[in-house]
Amino acid sequence: MKIGIIGAGNIGGNLTRRLTALGHDVSVANSRGPETLKELAEETGATPVPATEAAKGAQVVVVTVPLNRIPDLPAGLLDGAAEGVAVIDTNNYYPQQRDGRIAGIEDEGLTESRWTERHLGHPVIKAFNGTYAQDILDRPRPAGDPERLALPVAGDDQAAKRVVRDLIDELGFDTVDAGGLDDSWRQQPGTPVYGLQAGLEAVQKALAEASTERPADFRG
């Protein structure tokens, strides 16, 4: 597939490494410009591009930038993407640690990914937000392996969710359908599943045990 990755930090960089190794055509962008991605491009064979071009022709776009930078992304970010493009949101809200207070999340009660979706103007699928970046490189396992990790995936667009779940399976991880985007609070920071390195049953149990109350450490 043609895949655009916007953000080349730990998650974006390691997804670039794995997806190119699997044979996908990956374009990668960051906020500092394609010339700063030369080393990653040489390592992986990915194409460094400006953020405005990352989605061109892409069937999957991964948005993996700090949450407080979402409003700064260029307008028309997804223009030129393939019809039915699946947009993966990997982001988390860290009000005290990084992002500051975001009114839509604190006052309107929006899930973090619903807030992101509104800014992007396109449905998103929440995935990889509680995944350790190094696990993307070190922990893939074949289907059926008892040590295979499972990742929660939330979103409203069922076709896009299927694309994302199939891609995660190809990367070497199981997935659990965590419901629609308004249910994605179950995998936000401070919940039992966030950062959980476990298989299907444990992830399902952790999602079920989540509380709607955001822990004090993750409130602005």
Side-chain angles (χ1 to χ4, degrees):
M1 287 192 295
K2 186 163 176 45
I3 298 174
I5 297 180
I6 299 167
N10 293 333
I11 293 286
N14 284 351
L15 283 175
T16 299
R17 292 178 176 93
R18 289 295 320 287
L19 292 168
T20 51
L22 289 168
H24 295 288
D25 178 4
V26 177
S27 295
V28 60
N30 66 7
S31 61
R32 294 176 295 138
E35 64 281 357
T36 66
L37 295 169
K38 182 180 177 183
E39 189 174 319
L40 181 63
E42 289 176 349
E43 175 192 345
T44 63
T47 304
V49 296
T52 50
E53 296 179 18
K56 287 198 179 342
Q59 295 150 285
V60 174
V61 173
V62 183
V63 179
T64 179
V65 301
L67 197 72
N68 62 358
R69 301 299 298 275
I70 291 288
D72 299 332
L73 290 171
L77 187 72
L78 300 171
D79 290 355
E83 186 175 353
V85 60
V87 179
I88 300 174
D89 168 34
T90 77
N91 302 315
N92 293 302
Y93 176 43
Y94 302 120
Q96 299 177 33
Q97 302 88 343
R98 183 192 64 198
D99 297 318
R101 190 178 192 278
I102 294 178
I105 295 171
E106 299 288 355
D107 301 334
E108 296 179 50
L110 298 176
T111 61
E112 296 162 13
S113 286
R114 183 68 76 192
W115 181 86
T116 296
E117 179 182 85
R118 288 191 178 183
H119 278 282
L120 295 178
H122 190 283
V124 303
I125 305 297
K126 190 175 189 74
F128 297 109
N129 73 291
T131 305
Y132 291 101
Q134 197 61 35
D135 284 350
I136 295 170
L137 299 183
D138 295 346
R139 299 291 296 272
R141 297 289 188 276
D145 188 307
E147 294 188 3
R148 200 181 210 219
L149 302 181
L151 311 183
V153 179
D156 301 329
D157 183 330
Q158 294 303 312
K161 188 189 283 186
R162 184 73 266 162
V163 168
V164 173
R165 295 183 70 184
D166 287 347
L167 188 63
I168 293 172
D169 177 64
E170 187 183 357
L171 284 164
F173 303 92
D174 286 330
T175 58
V176 173
D177 190 332
L181 213 58
D182 289 334
D183 302 311
S184 64
W185 58 268
R186 293 183 180 275
Q187 66 194 78
Q188 291 177 170
T191 61
V193 83
Y194 180 76
L196 180 66
Q197 296 166 297
L200 286 167
E201 289 187 12
V203 168
Q204 290 167 339
K205 182 172 183 288
L207 286 166
E209 291 174 349
S211 167
T212 55
E213 176 110 8
R214 180 181 275 114
D217 287 351
F218 297 103
R219 290 201 301 266

